[in-house]
């Protein structure tokens, strides 16, 4: 038979030596690799899980999310977006080779909770946030919604450069042929999910990513997820449940959204459900919603963020920015571009450092790489692994978002 | 990138000059001269019409949108700059291209459904085993270096519709001219906005004159001169006999004042006009027989 049989020209093992296993998820597994045979440097290789029929791996068609990630990563090029080196299709598997990033925001946050909680310096947070927004602005200008921003997906190199990673849920939003909702019913890991998504909005916008940025900002300050709800699971009929607990967590801090502040509220599909969310009322003995201001100043106080302290302080400007990012109304929520021009970043004419570790003495531990499972070919598939922890289960994080 | 054609892989890696494209295709044929000689093929443009007709049949059965169809057509064209047709089963290639295009245009179709429809059209050429289509998908993506996002002229057409106050008729004709341009090498030669402008201009000129194609040819030639004329402040432009309608004159003026490559627009118009000439020579059977012969003789359908 002539060449209608697919043969890859480049082989993973000819260019990369796998040194260990980093993490696994619904998509497959990520390995750390070093280049050889002329390829130099460290790499993260994302191997997409092939479908299996019995014990034999078959070509079953590439998942849409893998297609999107391959296509988008091939187009994207920005200092704050993870850099794709190449894609190798081999042995019925997809291998996406990325530059290696030593850290991620989740790992950094966790480092600051141990052994005792100690704050991430305000200047570092400012740089992380600025770089994150810069990458996000690039994505949005190119009509790409990320749709899964969370600390574990924000990579940081050893030089302190922030790289937005995991575009597995990202997609173009320029005049979609169908409403965005019809493709993926549930997007964004629950703690970072914007209110309009929680209320069932079908035509959502880049604003969903900005809500997630707000949540990440808050988490960098307090070292805990700000809205740590419990995810209601999909029932057997695969209807999308109303995430009452998650909404409640948001309401406890921000108060109930009102149609005065968010005129579109009443048109949200789950508006009726919202009325059933237990509301912390002042008059019924509870203290009422905390209010973002109170949350913020409490957080700053307990973390000992103060002007004059070594950690510095994000100050009033930080609160202003956070408030604008966590605006209930997606049409009023600050855009990435507006956020980058916010006084939080621009006041005093200082330039935000492109190295978020600048001036820091903290040494973050290297990414945990398991040595036992480093055969990229024969390694067991996710779910049957013997070693290494999936990134999301480290501290009881909610399971990865449901897809398609 | 995705929304920015100028930084896109389409512009950086899949846009060629005519000479470059000619060299690439020549190189493919030279790779295996014996094979090329053993299976002489018709004019690529005729084969393109054939592939397209097959693809449209499949797309219609599955109610695929035009944009996904366009994406599939560009995939096929790109793929055949990397691989000689004689080494492939075009029926499987175009089925796979459509399957992949639907995913990329966010209207996915199940692999089994695609294979079923394709088999009902070409039972002798599409293996029932869906994994063959899955394998072919790897082949396609690999040859295209995973560069799968396609910029289409439709977007420019929609944008210009409002800006230039185009009448509905012109838009419809321009739209179908854009549909036709996928049958030519134009997607590999020019930027989508150039194609869109060529289509609009053709739509205007084809309609306004009983001379039809001749008017379009004149218009293309006229366009080439017009920037020069406008730069020189000549007032003769608007009164040119070949293009009597004022509306067209103002469109050309708008064009000439912008940064659009008018030579490229004129070239695109010529290419489309000559497609319509080639089309007159097209016969489905000859193409079909030729393709069947190569595929069967070389066992590419297995």
């Amino acid at each position: 038979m002539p060449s209608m049989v697919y043969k890859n020209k480049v082989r993973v093992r000819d260019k990369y030596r796998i040194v260990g296993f980093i993490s696994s998820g619904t998509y497959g597994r990520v390995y750390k690799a070093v280049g050889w045979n002329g390829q130099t440097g460290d790499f993260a290789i994302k191997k997409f899980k092939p479908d299996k029929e019995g014990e034999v791996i078959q070509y079953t068609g590439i998942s849409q999310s893998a297609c999107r990630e391959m296509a988008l990563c091939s187009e994207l090029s920005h200092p704050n977006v993870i850099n794709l080196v190449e894609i190798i299709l081999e042995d019925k598997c997809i291998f996406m080779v990325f530059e290696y990033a030593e850290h991620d925001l989740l790992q950094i946050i966790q480092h600051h909770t141990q052994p005792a909680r100690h704050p991430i310096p305000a200047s570092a947070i400012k740089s992380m946030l600025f770089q994150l927004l810069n990458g996000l602005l690039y994505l949005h200008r190119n009509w790409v919604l990320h749709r899964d921003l969370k600390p574990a997906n924000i990579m940081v190199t050893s030089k302190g450069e922030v790289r937005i990673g995991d575009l597995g849920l990202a997609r173009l939003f320029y005049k979609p042929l169908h409403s965005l909702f019809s493709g993926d019913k549930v997007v964004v890991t629950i703690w970072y999910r914007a209110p309009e998504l929680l209320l069932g909005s079908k035509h959502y916008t880049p604003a969903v990513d900005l809500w997630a940025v707000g949540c990440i900002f808050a988490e960098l300050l307090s070292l805990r997820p700000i809205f740590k709800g419990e995810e209601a699971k999909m029932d057997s009929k695969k209807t999308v449940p109303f995430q009452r607990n998650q909404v409640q967590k948001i309401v406890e801090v921000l108060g109930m959204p009102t149609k005065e502040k968010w005129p579109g509220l009443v048109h949200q599909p789950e508006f009726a459900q919202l009325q059933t969310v237990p509301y912390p009322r002042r008059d019924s003995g509870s203290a009422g919603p905390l209010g973002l201001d109170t949350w913020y100043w409490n957080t700053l106080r307990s973390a000992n963020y103060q002007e004059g302290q070594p950690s510095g302080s994000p100050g009033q400007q930080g609160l202003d920015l956070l408030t604008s990012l966590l605006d209930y109304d997606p049409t009023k929520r600050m855009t990435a571009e507006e956020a980058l021009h916010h006084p939080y970043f621009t006041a005093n004419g200082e330039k935000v450092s492109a190295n978020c570790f600048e001036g820091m003495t903290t040494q973050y531990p290297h990414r945990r790489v398991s040595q036992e499972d480093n055969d990229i070919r024969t390694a067991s598939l996710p779910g049957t692994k013997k070693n290494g922890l999936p990134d999301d289960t480290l501290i009881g994080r909610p399971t990865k978002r449901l897809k398609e | 990138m995705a929304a920015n054609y100028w930084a896109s892989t389409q512009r950086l890696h899949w846009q060629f000059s005519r000479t470059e494209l000619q060299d690439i295709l020549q190189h493919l044929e030279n790779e295996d001269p014996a094979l090329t000689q053993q299976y002489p093929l018709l004019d690529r443009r005729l084969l393109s019409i054939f592939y397209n007709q097959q693809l449209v049949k499949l797309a219609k059965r599955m109610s695929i949108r035009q944009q996904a169809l366009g994406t599939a057509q560009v995939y096929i064209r790109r793929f055949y700059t990397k691989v000689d047709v004689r080494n492939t089963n075009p029926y499987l290639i175009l089925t796979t291209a459509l399957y992949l295009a639907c995913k990329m245009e966010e209207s996915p179709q199940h692999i089994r459904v695609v294979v079923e429809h394709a088999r009902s059209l070409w039972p002798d050429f599409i293996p029932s085993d869906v994994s063959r289509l899955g394998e072919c998908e790897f082949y396609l993506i690999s040859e295209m270096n995973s560069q799968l996002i396609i910029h289409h002229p439709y977007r420019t057409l929609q944008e210009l519709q409002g800006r230039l106050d185009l009448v509905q008729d012109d838009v419809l004709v321009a739209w179908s001219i854009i549909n036709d341009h996928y049958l030519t090498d134009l997607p590999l030669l020019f930027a989508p906005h150039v194609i869109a402008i060529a289509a609009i201009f053709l739509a205007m000129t084809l309609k306004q004159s009983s001379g039809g194609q001749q008017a379009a040819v004149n218009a293309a030639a006229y366009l080439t001169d017009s920037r020069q004329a406008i730069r020189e402040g000549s007032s003769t432009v608007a009164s040119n006999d070949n293009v009597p309608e004022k509306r067209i004159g103002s469109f050309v003026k708008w064009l000439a004042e912008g940064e659009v490559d008018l030579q490229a627009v004129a070239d695109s118009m010529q290419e489309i006009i000559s497609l319509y000439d080639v089309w007159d020579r097209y016969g489905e059977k000859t193409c079909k027989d030729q393709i069947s012969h190569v595929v069967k003789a070389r066992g590419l359908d297995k």
Side-chain angles (χ1 to χ4, degrees):
Chain A
M1 214 183 319
S3 56
M4 276 303 281
V5 172
Y6 173 67
K7 286 190 286 299
N8 45 300
K9 296 168 190 162
V10 180
R11 294 197 311 162
V12 176
R13 284 167 304 156
D14 291 347
K15 285 174 86 172
Y16 305 96
R17 188 167 58 83
I18 307 300
V19 296
F21 162 70
I22 297 172
S23 67
S24 74
T26 45
Y27 52 82
R29 305 164 74 86
V30 181
Y31 297 86
K32 183 178 181 182
V34 292
W36 62 359
N37 290 345
Q39 187 84 330
T40 54
D42 291 343
F43 302 89
I45 301 185
K46 186 168 180 176
K47 178 190 181 187
F48 285 84
K49 172 174 68 169
D51 282 340
K52 279 171 64 163
E53 281 183 3
E55 277 309 295
V56 188
I57 296 171
Q58 281 290 352
Y59 286 109
T60 50
I62 298 169
S63 75
Q64 191 172 18
S65 103
C67 280
R68 282 175 185 151
E69 188 167 6
M70 290 164 73
L72 286 173
C73 289
S74 300
E75 297 284 326
L76 298 167
S77 170
H78 187 272
N80 297 120
V81 175
I82 199 82
N83 180 33
L84 176 74
V85 178
E86 65 177 323
I87 299 174
I88 298 174
L89 303 169
E90 181 177 337
D91 288 337
K92 307 185 174 78
C93 294
I94 300 165
F95 299 89
M96 290 185 74
V97 183
F98 292 97
E99 65 172 330
Y100 183 72
E102 195 60 78
H103 314 282
D104 59 60
L105 291 189
L106 178 58
Q107 181 215 66
I108 288 172
I109 288 166
Q110 284 169 349
H111 180 76
H112 281 269
T113 62
Q114 291 158 351
R117 305 177 79 80
H118 53 293
I120 305 173
S123 61
I125 294 181
K126 187 179 284 189
S127 169
M128 288 167 185
L129 209 58
F130 187 84
Q131 295 187 59
L132 169 58
L133 285 162
N134 207 27
L136 193 57
L137 173 62
Y138 169 78
L139 293 181
H140 288 173
R141 278 196 175 150
N142 286 288
W143 303 93
V144 176
L145 292 179
H146 187 282
R147 308 199 300 179
D148 197 19
L149 289 178
K150 58 179 176 181
N153 286 345
I154 316 295
M155 309 296 149
V156 183
T157 68
S158 47
K159 291 178 181 163
E161 302 147 322
V162 172
R163 308 265 205 263
I164 298 176
D166 197 346
L167 278 92
L169 267 185
R171 58 164 286 176
L172 294 174
F173 63 99
Y174 180 85
K175 288 193 182 162
L177 294 174
H178 301 285
S179 85
L180 295 183
F181 176 77
S182 65
D184 314 270
K185 301 261 187 291
V186 181
V187 296
V188 188
T189 305
I190 185 115
W191 299 342
Y192 308 93
R193 201 175 293 167
E196 64 272 26
L197 294 179
L198 294 166
L199 293 176
S201 183
K202 292 193 168 43
H203 291 279
Y204 45 87
T205 63
V208 301
D209 287 336
L210 275 305
W211 178 274
V213 172
C215 297
I216 293 168
F217 184 19
E219 191 164 336
L220 289 169
L221 292 168
S222 73
L223 306 174
R224 291 183 186 90
I226 180 171
F227 308 127
K228 195 175 174 182
E230 274 169 43
E231 182 158 26
K233 298 293 173 212
M234 221 176 253
D235 64 19
S236 53
K237 289 180 203 139
K238 299 247 169 141
T239 47
V240 181
F242 177 61
Q243 297 292 347
R244 180 170 287 100
N245 187 256
Q246 182 61 31
V247 173
Q248 190 184 331
K249 296 290 175 190
I250 296 171
V251 169
E252 279 170 9
V253 178
L254 301 184
M256 199 58 110
T258 61
K259 63 175 190 295
E260 286 71 34
K261 286 190 182 147
W262 177 9
L265 176 64
V266 294
H267 305 298
Q268 300 297 311
E270 302 277 20
F271 178 62
Q273 288 274 17
L274 181 64
Q275 315 305 316
T276 70
V277 172
Y279 179 60
R281 282 179 202 286
R282 270 181 205 287
D283 50 11
S284 60
S286 113
L290 188 60
L292 192 57
D293 296 26
T294 312
W295 179 93
Y296 184 81
W297 295 117
N298 286 350
T299 298
L300 260 53
R301 197 176 319 113
S302 65
N304 206 20
Y305 280 114
Q306 284 174 49
E307 302 295 351
Q309 287 289 325
S311 60
S313 172
Q316 178 66 42
Q317 309 281 28
L319 174 60
D320 287 347
L321 176 60
L322 185 62
T323 308
S324 310
L325 292 169
L326 296 180
D327 196 317
Y328 270 123
D329 186 345
T331 64
K332 294 193 198 123
R333 199 172 302 146
M334 193 164 259
T335 64
E337 181 158 26
E338 288 162 354
L340 285 166
H341 291 107
H342 191 277
Y344 170 69
F345 297 116
T346 58
N348 312 327
E350 289 166 33
K351 212 167 161 359
V352 181
S353 175
N355 167 10
C356 68
F357 300 143
E358 193 172 283
M360 278 173 75
T361 49
T362 313
Q363 285 287 321
Y364 293 102
H366 286 190
R367 189 177 288 287
R368 194 175 149 187
V369 175
S370 144
Q371 299 298 324
E372 286 168 42
D373 176 17
N374 59 5
D375 186 340
I376 199 160
R377 280 169 50 85
T378 59
S380 51
L381 290 164
T384 59
K385 63 188 182 300
K386 299 170 227 83
N387 207 307
L389 290 164
D391 55 357
D392 289 340
T393 56
L394 281 170
I395 52 157
R397 301 234 140 202
T399 47
K400 193 90 169 172
R401 73 277 159 159
L402 295 148
K403 284 191 291 190
E404 271 113 7
Chain B
M1 158 42 252
N4 179 0
Y5 163 76
W6 301 103
S8 69
T9 53
Q10 179 167 337
R11 177 170 172 270
L12 301 176
H13 303 291
W14 297 100
Q15 211 94 78
F16 311 102
S17 71
R18 274 184 199 279
T19 340
E20 282 168 348
L21 185 58
Q22 205 50 52
D23 289 350
I24 290 167
L25 296 170
Q26 194 56 52
H27 179 76
L28 272 185
E29 297 221 316
N30 294 347
E31 270 180 2
D32 189 347
L35 183 68
T36 309
Q37 237 173 11
Q38 195 179 352
Y39 302 101
L41 291 177
L42 290 165
D43 187 332
R44 283 177 65 250
R45 290 181 297 179
L46 290 172
L47 290 178
S48 290
I49 297 175
F50 176 69
Y51 300 151
N52 183 62
Q53 285 189 341
Q54 304 310 307
L55 193 65
V56 168
K57 275 189 209 169
L58 180 59
K60 275 204 176 135
R61 272 175 174 257
M62 300 170 56
S63 315
I64 307 284
R65 309 257 192 136
Q66 176 56 40
Q67 181 160 320
L69 183 63
T71 296
Q73 286 165 306
V74 177
Y75 288 172
I76 295 165
R77 201 160 284 283
R78 287 182 177 184
F79 178 78
Y80 283 130
T81 64
K82 302 291 274 300
V83 180
D84 191 317
V85 187
R86 298 168 185 87
N87 286 320
T88 69
N89 170 357
Y91 294 97
L92 186 58
I93 296 296
L94 57 91
T95 305
T96 309
L98 192 63
Y99 167 66
L100 180 59
C102 286
K103 275 190 283 193
M104 283 314 301
E105 298 298 340
E106 301 288 343
S107 41
Q109 300 278 337
H110 198 280
I111 189 165
R112 280 184 205 290
V113 175
V114 177
V115 168
E116 263 167 42
H117 282 293
R119 271 180 67 75
S120 68
L121 285 171
W122 316 294
D124 295 344
F125 295 96
I126 302 292
S128 58
D129 180 1
V130 297
S131 73
R132 296 305 308 279
L133 194 142
E135 179 176 12
C136 192
E137 184 180 30
F138 269 48
Y139 195 10
L140 223 61
I141 293 177
S142 174
E143 292 299 341
M144 292 193 291
N145 292 324
S146 311
Q147 290 153 354
L148 304 175
I149 293 174
I150 306 294
H151 294 257
H152 291 285
Y154 301 111
R155 196 194 283 190
T156 312
L157 176 60
Q158 281 165 339
E159 284 164 4
L160 291 183
Q161 181 175 3
R163 208 185 309 167
L164 298 176
D165 282 327
L166 300 179
V167 296
Q168 193 56 30
D169 236 25
D170 288 343
V171 174
L172 289 177
V173 177
W175 185 278
S176 55
I177 291 171
I178 293 176
N179 295 351
D180 290 342
H181 102 282
Y182 295 106
L183 279 70
T184 70
D185 282 329
L186 287 173
L188 298 179
L189 294 171
F190 298 113
H193 66 271
V194 167
I195 309 288
I197 289 166
I200 294 169
F201 200 29
L202 266 178
M204 285 176 162
T205 48
L206 283 172
K207 199 184 63 172
Q208 58 91 34
S209 146
S210 54
Q213 289 199 3
Q214 191 49 48
V217 174
N218 292 343
Y222 160 74
L223 188 58
T224 322
D225 304 333
S226 62
R227 176 172 281 169
Q228 194 61 27
I230 285 169
R231 293 250 161 97
E232 287 164 7
S234 161
S235 59
T236 58
V237 176
S239 62
N240 188 305
D241 287 343
N242 290 329
V243 187
E245 218 177 291
K246 237 188 187 160
R247 206 157 58 82
I248 300 176
S250 62
F251 175 64
V252 173
K253 194 159 186 297
W254 170 83
L255 264 183
E257 285 165 355
E259 291 301 313
V260 183
D261 179 351
L262 291 187
Q263 188 56 51
V265 173
D267 271 10
S268 305
M269 291 171 69
Q270 294 286 8
E271 184 78 33
I272 289 166
I273 292 162
S274 63
L275 166 73
Y276 296 141
D277 285 337
V278 172
W279 215 320
D280 291 338
R281 292 195 276 126
Y282 172 74
E284 182 175 349
K285 189 166 181 310
T286 333
C287 293
K288 192 174 170 179
D289 291 349
Q290 246 184 16
I291 297 293
S292 302
H293 177 60
V294 185
V295 173
K296 292 286 180 195
R298 307 203 68 217
L300 293 160
D301 52 337
K302 297 293 183 322

